[in-house]
Amino acid sequence: MKKIILIFTILLISVASFSQASKESAMHAFVNKLLAKMTLEEKLGQLNLPASSDFVTGAVSSSDIAQKVKDGKVGGVFNIRSVTKIKELQEYAVKNTRLHIPLLFGMDVIHGYRTIFPIPLGMSSTWDMPLIERTARIAANEASADGIMWTFSPMVDLTRDPRWGRTSEGNGEDAFLSSAIAKAMVHGYQGDDLSKNNTIMSCVKHYALYGAAEGGRDYNTTDMSRIRMYNEYFPPYKAAVDAGVGSVMVSFNEIDGVPASGNKWLVDDVLRKQWKFNGFVVSDYTGIPEMVNHGIGDFKTVNEKALQAGVDMDMVGEGFLNSIGISLKEGKVTQVQIDKATERVLIAKYQLGLFDDPYKYCDEKRSAAEVFNETNRAEARTIAAQSFVLLKNNNVLPIAANKKIALVGPLANAKENMTGTWSVGADNTQSITLLKGLTAAVGTAGKVLYAKGSNLEDDWELEKRQTMFGKDIPRDGRTPEQLLQEAIAVSAEADVIVAALGEGAESTGESASRTSLDLPASQQKLLKALLATGKPVVLVLFNGRPLTLTWEDANVPAILDVWFAGSEAGYAIADALLGNVNPSGKLSMSFPQNVGQIPLYYNHKNTGRPLGKWFSKFQSNYIDVSNEPLYPFGYGLSYTKFDYSDFAVSATQLNGNQKLMATVTVKNTGAVTGKEVVQLYIRDLVGSVTRPVQELKGFQKIELAPGASKKISFEITPALLAFYNGDLKLDWESGDFQIMVGPNSRDVQMLKVNWTK
Ligand code: BGC
């Protein structure tokens, strides 16, 4: 019987791979035939990606798109927010161009299309891969109904510098967690079949190292060793490639002195040859002409470098369109390079099914029924509440629904700010504020009293920089003192104060770096005044990055980090504040005590003079502050308590390809049901190159009823111990390993094993 099953399985696999191979050869035959008919101009047109004038992020905006489309000078357009407009433009392209090639329509669908989920940093705090995949699935479903078939997501730039505004768009400081997220997102967008009308092509970005910009200043130089790139910064991009991502966006920054947009080693050697990526590569917004400013050549030269490096599509720069033809005549680039890039773009269009039906993604009926509908909004509410991280709770939370709540702060009634940065498709008139959510949640049982308390910043010029792109927080013209007095008066009537403070949506995201990570002074003053009333205060923190909360942690009884939670933010936050949902998020990034500690990350190296007890002279520490973060990676509290016991390993001496099981029992010892992320860390004690003091190597999210317990098992194989050595070869080495489990990276239990090859 077993034999028959085996033969049958082999037969099935052979049929499947045969039909896959014949599909691929049909695709190549189609594309090659088309390519053979194309003029040089038409080929260069396919490599040109202008932005819709609907939305512009850089210095150059593309105009007269329609004329260019007609002339065959456009391969795709991005950030058009209307199914009708997209359909019209697609029709225009298909009908008016000589070869009737459909356009690609892309968009920054970053954390939802119209139904917006928490910002990526918030989503990463769920540590829940099916949930993360679900958000990408819903986003793909909505976007594809509205004409979009390509998204510039996921962003997987590892970052250890919260000054960088784009920290909000990524998954934090850890490669293992971010790799898992990359895979989940790509699968969520693309599904198993890219040609379906409800899946879209994903574009992993920004390849590579963009999150390591010096000083946390956006677009700045990066410089790091290759061994660090391979072990720490590359894995999430590679995970997206392994998951079958259709496209890759190169980053603005330089690597080894060569900007990514023209870096042959990065694109051709690593991405294409080593990782076997066979999709297409797009530049970032004017990334190619910006290489002139980097100082590696004039306009024509930098475009040649980009094409030679293996970049296929030029976002907004228009240099491929306007200068590569001249470079070809001069022999600076080859016809083969142009053909290869064109072929890759055409293959993407073929895989999406655009040659069969260019209008398959433009479905007004689907759009009306499936975009931002009640079901998606309900899911956004449940999902958002999973991203909240309870940073502190001295028995203030949850709040009983029959209490009188004073809701105070500039973020309490800031509709446009709920969806956070990069919510291009959002309709913020529909977003739910905390004032609305909390008022609905307490109903007639309790009461919510509201006062703004302060503006985001006292300095309006500073505030304006953080409320652009329609992310307004209407400015209150009263003096800071008047606002404060109103807040104090309102608080005097309440049982408990909820302070909705933090950053504006555009305090984070692109070109939103900060040198101070404190709450703005206006809000600190408000918080102090609220605490001085003697009433219990809950700080509900809106933020797109770790902030420095040392004072707040010491003085405020409860802190709930809600990031920017999306369209249904207000309902979701109210669910958590009232205990209808028990917070279970865990930080994907360490919160420093102060900015001077940055970069601060849990998986650092040990140094020759490791930290003893702070302060120790001639050890690697600071005089004024310990090396500890305020809140460590993996940290987050719950309304219940979890107890970890019976930590054990299946063996302490292992050989070759054996498997090790690490087990631990987790018990809910509190009074309410809760979710816990059980984390596995490993330390390789001795290596041919130095190894981090701790590395996340596994995690499981479980839910336990009060009194319930569960035995959690992690399977550890040598593959999990592998790292890139001095020759950049991925392998593991014999030796001693510490195996650690715990509720976060700090509070771990530890056992030691020896593993020999
Ligand atoms: C950003 C990208 C984005 C692109 C298109 C650029 O400024 O760096 O992340 O996908 O614009 O909007």
Side-chain angles (χ1 to χ4, degrees), residues 590-612:
S590 311
F591 274 43
Q593 300 180 60
N594 67 26
V595 179
Q597 288 184 303
I598 294 169
L600 181 75
Y601 49 96
Y602 84 97
N603 43 1
H604 57 87
K605 302 283 187 79
N606 204 27
T607 87
R609 295 191 175 194
L611 179 74

Side-chain angles (χ1 to χ4, degrees), residues 373-404:
N373 62 18
E374 285 311 313
T375 322
N376 293 355
R377 294 184 68 171
E379 279 206 62
R381 173 179 182 162
T382 336
I383 290 170
Q386 300 298 311
S387 72
F388 303 155
V389 183
L390 185 61
L391 296 174
K392 183 178 174 189
N393 189 17
N394 271 356
N395 293 324
V396 181
L397 288 172
I399 302 168
N402 61 2
K403 294 277 190 234
K404 244 189 188 176

Side-chain angles (χ1 to χ4, degrees), residues 86-94 102-103 105 149 354 358-359:
I86 290 180
K87 198 170 179 184
E88 218 178 281
L89 196 56
Q90 187 68 297
E91 202 164 17
Y92 195 75
V94 172
L103 298 169
F105 287 95
M149 75 264 322
L354 287 173
Y359 313 109

Side-chain angles (χ1 to χ4, degrees), residues 265-280:
W265 173 76
L266 191 72
V267 180
D268 201 39
D269 292 0
V270 179
L271 181 66
R272 290 233 163 84
K273 296 205 176 85
Q274 291 174 25
W275 299 355
K276 315 264 178 277
F277 172 67
N278 56 17
F280 75 99

Side-chain angles (χ1 to χ4, degrees), residues 669-688:
T669 57
V672 290
T673 297
K675 289 183 183 161
E676 170 70 335
V677 181
V678 185
Q679 299 160 39
L680 168 79
Y681 296 89
I682 297 181
R683 176 172 182 186
D684 185 351
L685 282 160
V686 179
S688 55

